[in-house]
Amino acid sequence: MDTRRRAPGSGTLEAPRDSLEGEGRFLQITQALQDVVVLCSSDFTQLLFVNAAYERIWGRTRSELYANPLAFLNGVHPEDRDRVWDVLRNQPPSGAELEFRVVRPDGDLRWVWARTFPVRGRYGDVYRFAGIAEDVTERKQVLESHARLIRGFTHDVKNPLGAADGLLTLLEMGLHGPLSELQSDTVGRARRGIRTALDLIGQLLDIERAQSGQLQIMREHFDLGEAARDVVGEFASAAHLKDLSLQLVLPAETDALLIYSDRARVRQIIANLVSNGVKYTQAGGRVSVRVAAVEEDEAPRQGRRLAVVVEDNGPGIPADKQHLLFREFTRFSPNAAEGSGVGLAISEKLALALDGTITFKSVVGVGSVFTLWLPSDRRQSAAD
Ligand code: ADP
């Protein structure tokens, strides 16, 4: 193991040629990497290997680290140090992921994302830790300036739109004299347009908040079936106008759908899925919303046992485009119906923030099934 401390290619006399060559190649690869690659004993007392990227990111020498593997903590921002050490000491069997700040000796601050992997011996015991650490400072700066732009833009656009809506309300109320039917219809349309724009701004803000981890989640106990019923009710007239059948299917047991989650956010996700079903399904088609509690092994991830299944017999989504579905501003048929392409992006982020997930199946010419999976009440409240 000591050979790894030597300069590339120095090797040992006893080592077979193949392994020496292998080791040489390994060193060539790791020394060229931008990310830190590290290997140390499981009690952190012995450093077996670290590549040159450590010196670039931390601004400190590797020899200091070989003398004391925990010396890397000296470069971690004082506010992050305890958390980092805590995560490393109490790693779960699958390893850990963490993000923290590094302050270089010259005062330069870097953001680092790191992942550790336990290395197991023959009997499954963890005897080493391997790790990688990446400098994500530039990426964070881009995200931050993107977030600032969205916050500034939404704020600047929201206020004049709100003011315009207020003025139109005065017109609608007849404060400037009675309106003819045509005028009143025009004002109504202008207000609906403004509401759509304000909704979009709200969704953009939600995406930005979810990305920066600032989404506020307010949990309460409620019935998922009731939430779905409300949403379906809201879309009844839109479905009727398109001659669509919109159905709700709930289980017979009354308390099977109790949930501990954020009611408004859950409704927002279901509304996005139902809205898509109604928007994209051709006139005369069918949209159904089924809420069910499923067995653990049917759920896509452990613990998410409540499902809201929104199924339509609409046009379906081509297989080669499905991977883009949850990206912001993705629209496959821009002329087909109104929409901005952010509904599914925000829905997926909200589902994640609620410990849930969204899965889907879609076949062109047959239809689409989107399922929102959420943890059931019992498990979630126990975890809290
Ligand atoms: P939008 O506001 O455009 O509906 P979404 O993010 O909700 O944005 O959906 C992204 C795109 O995915 C839509 O523009 C549409 O092309 C496609 N899509 C979403 N749901 C369905 C569906 N149920 N049937 C067919 N296409 C769909």
Side-chain angles (χ1 to χ4, degrees):
M1 75 176 63
D2 274 353
T3 54
R4 301 193 180 202
R5 292 192 181 195
R6 296 178 190 175
S10 66
T12 59
L13 286 174
E14 300 81 13
R17 189 178 162 72
D18 273 0
S19 82
L20 277 186
E21 282 181 355
E23 186 156 327
R25 273 186 235 125
F26 169 76
L27 287 169
Q28 280 167 8
I29 293 168
T30 54
Q31 301 306 41
L33 280 180
Q34 294 299 312
D35 300 346
V36 175
V37 177
V38 63
L39 186 70
C40 72
S41 59
S42 58
D43 58 1
F44 302 102
T45 56
Q46 201 186 8
L47 181 70
L48 303 158
F49 175 77
V50 65
N51 64 343
Y54 174 75
E55 301 194 341
R56 283 196 294 273
I57 296 179
W58 259 257
R60 293 167 180 268
T61 63
R62 281 180 285 171
S63 50
E64 179 194 40
L65 206 58
Y66 279 117
N68 169 19
L70 293 181
F72 81 93
L73 281 170
N74 298 336
V76 173
H77 192 293
E79 283 174 17
D80 297 346
R81 207 172 284 154
D82 287 349
R83 177 176 56 88
V84 169
W85 181 220
D86 226 43
V87 172
L88 289 181
R89 257 185 321 186
N90 305 306
Q91 293 183 50
S94 54
E97 251 179 54
L98 62 166
E99 199 174 70
F100 53 90
R101 289 162 294 175
V102 162
V103 187
R104 289 176 175 163
D106 62 5
D108 191 14
L109 188 125
R110 311 302 299 173
W111 275 95
V112 171
W113 175 87
R115 172 124 180 69
T116 64
F117 309 87
V119 181
R120 293 176 191 284
R122 196 179 303 167
Y123 303 107
D125 52 313
V126 175
Y127 75 115
R128 284 177 184 168
F129 280 118
I132 49 171
E134 185 186 352
D135 185 339
V136 291
T137 314
E138 272 75 30
R139 208 180 308 153
K140 270 205 112 62
Q141 283 164 346
V142 170
L143 277 179
E144 184 47 40
S145 71
H146 180 243
R148 260 203 310 274
L149 188 78
I150 298 231
R151 273 198 294 266
F153 168 78
T154 47
H155 182 262
D156 289 355
V157 174
K158 219 168 148 180
N159 291 345
L161 279 178
D165 192 44
L167 292 171
L168 289 171
T169 315
L170 297 182
L171 273 183
E172 213 169 36
M173 288 164 69
L175 249 70
H176 302 302
L179 299 186
S180 70
E181 203 177 312
L182 183 62
Q183 286 168 331
S184 154
D185 182 54
T186 309
V187 170
R189 273 199 244 170
R191 289 200 66 200
R192 278 197 293 282
I194 290 178
R195 225 168 299 140
T196 307
L198 285 171
D199 277 356
L200 176 59
I201 289 170
Q203 302 221 37
L204 277 178
L205 267 176
D206 276 348
I207 290 183
E208 194 280 305
R209 285 197 197 107
Q211 264 162 356
S212 55
Q214 287 170 2
L215 206 62
Q216 275 204 333
I217 299 295
M218 293 192 291
R219 292 185 201 275
E220 60 182 308
H221 298 272
F222 64 96
D223 186 315
L224 186 58
E226 285 308 312
R229 190 193 297 282
D230 287 349
V231 174
V232 167
E234 282 165 20
F235 284 91
S237 71
H240 180 72
L241 280 174
K242 268 186 90 176
D243 192 22
L244 287 176
S245 114
L246 175 59
Q247 284 179 348
L248 176 70
V249 184
L250 297 178
E253 317 89 81
T254 46
D255 61 353
L257 303 178
L258 288 181
I259 186 168
Y260 184 66
S261 192
D262 185 318
R263 190 199 298 256
R265 297 301 192 184
V266 167
R267 280 179 58 152
Q268 189 180 347
I269 303 172
I270 303 174
N272 274 334
L273 301 180
V274 176
S275 154
N276 281 349
V278 171
K279 263 191 312 195
Y280 297 111
T281 303
Q282 61 288 343
R286 173 174 39 79
V287 178
S288 75
V289 180
R290 187 167 57 83
V291 190
V294 299
E295 291 304 318
E296 190 72 66
D297 55 356
E298 287 177 61
R301 274 156 63 190
Q302 217 195 357
R304 287 145 186 90
R305 294 190 40 229
L306 290 183
V308 182
V309 187
V310 181
E311 181 165 7
D312 64 59
N313 66 348
I317 299 153
D320 61 334
K321 298 204 171 137
Q322 291 181 0
H323 66 287
L324 300 169
L325 208 49
F326 293 96
R327 257 196 219 169
E328 291 94 341
F329 304 110
T330 294
R331 303 208 59 218
F332 302 132
S333 39
N335 303 322
E338 79 228 45
S340 51
V342 295
L344 286 175
I346 183 63
S347 297
E348 189 185 43
K349 288 185 176 66
L350 289 177
L352 221 67
L354 298 175
D355 258 339
T357 187
I358 296 178
T359 58
F360 73 96
K361 273 190 206 137
S362 188
V363 179
V364 171
V366 177
S368 309
V369 188
F370 283 84
T371 307
L372 165 67
W373 301 89
L374 290 167
S376 56
D377 197 355
R378 226 174 336 131
R379 187 190 160 87
Q380 188 59 43
S381 15
D384 288 350

